[in-house]
Amino acid sequence: FPSHDRVYNANLTEPDLNWIEKFKEYENNSERAKVWRLAALNNSRDKSVFSFFYSRIKNGKGSIDEKREVLELAIKANSLPEDIVEKIAESAPISLRRMVVDGLSQSWSSLKREEIYGTHRQLGNLQERKDRIQKLALLFATIDDYTVIEKLSEMLEPSNLSWIVGNAAKHRYISESISRRMSAV
């Protein structure tokens, strides 16, 4: 079995490495599987890798920490899968919902920077990516949590702010901010 360093850097020698297949090869050996899982989550940019490992987490003691780990690495890789976002928006502890909304907010900020400083090639599918982030963010519009509402109020386009006005009305600062942004259009 290759060393931890060789596994962790396997994608450098094998650019088309299928992380899931490698993990499955060693699935019966928990120690080796753990090494491949960690290497995959730290090196992959493939959303299906994050979906695969997230879907394998069984509810129980420590499951929230495992889910948080997968989410943090997916957000860091800018590869947050839609299926995970939808599951979390539908039903998950508020800590995971906040984490995902924060991740979407980071992606949104990155897209806004790209819009200003990006090259012509980078701007090619920018609107499509912005629409995707807006669509995913709107899945959290019904969540009545200050942190979630605040993040959404900062990242949603003015045309989408009406979806969170009801929940934002309970929080004066956010409500006034939304009102300013909507009237500026």
Side-chain angles (χ1 to χ4, degrees):
F1 182 74
S3 72
H4 291 292
D5 290 338
R6 287 190 58 169
V7 169
Y8 193 79
N9 295 312
N11 63 322
L12 298 176
T13 56
E14 260 185 271
D16 297 328
L17 179 67
N18 185 327
W19 290 105
I20 296 172
E21 289 304 315
K22 280 292 188 183
F23 170 80
K24 287 180 178 179
E25 272 180 47
Y26 297 102
E27 196 167 16
N28 293 332
N29 181 326
S30 67
E31 196 56 41
R32 289 180 178 177
K34 194 184 301 183
V35 171
W36 279 105
R37 175 189 176 276
L38 196 56
L41 291 172
N42 276 288
N43 292 304
S44 182
R45 300 290 177 262
D46 184 353
K47 292 178 184 182
S48 66
V49 169
F50 296 102
S51 289
F52 173 78
F53 287 111
Y54 190 89
S55 69
R56 296 177 59 85
I57 301 170
K58 305 288 183 241
N59 287 334
K61 187 176 182 180
S63 65
I64 297 298
D65 292 333
E66 275 187 79
K67 289 177 181 180
R68 188 175 284 117
E69 176 192 30
V70 173
L71 289 172
E72 282 175 359
L73 293 169
I75 290 167
K76 183 179 172 187
N78 199 18
S79 298
L80 197 56
E82 287 82 358
D83 61 327
I84 292 176
V85 174
E86 290 169 2
K87 283 179 193 172
I88 290 172
E90 189 176 302
S91 171
I94 195 64
S95 63
L96 295 183
R97 289 175 170 185
R98 286 176 180 161
M99 178 181 274
V100 169
V101 170
D102 189 55
L104 291 172
S105 179
Q106 290 173 35
S107 294
W108 182 254
S109 294
S110 176
L111 288 176
K112 295 302 275 182
R113 277 190 302 280
E114 197 174 303
E115 186 174 37
I116 296 168
Y117 302 110
T119 64
H120 183 68
R121 189 178 64 82
Q122 289 173 317
L123 299 177
N125 65 346
L126 183 70
Q127 190 58 48
E128 182 182 310
R129 291 183 293 150
K130 284 173 65 178
D131 290 345
R132 176 187 162 269
I133 298 286
Q134 289 288 300
K135 179 183 162 217
L136 293 174
L138 284 171
L139 294 172
F140 296 88
T142 59
I143 296 175
D144 187 12
D145 175 72
Y146 182 87
T147 305
V148 169
I149 296 166
E150 182 181 38
K151 286 286 182 193
L152 292 177
S153 73
E154 294 167 356
M155 68 178 283
L156 288 176
E157 293 284 347
S159 60
N160 289 327
L161 287 171
S162 60
W163 291 97
I164 62 168
V165 167
N167 283 333
K170 301 169 192 155
H171 310 286
R172 185 173 175 207
Y173 170 77
I174 297 173
S175 186
E176 289 173 356
S177 172
I178 289 173
S179 199
R180 278 191 301 278
R181 287 189 62 214
M182 289 175 80
S183 65
V185 175

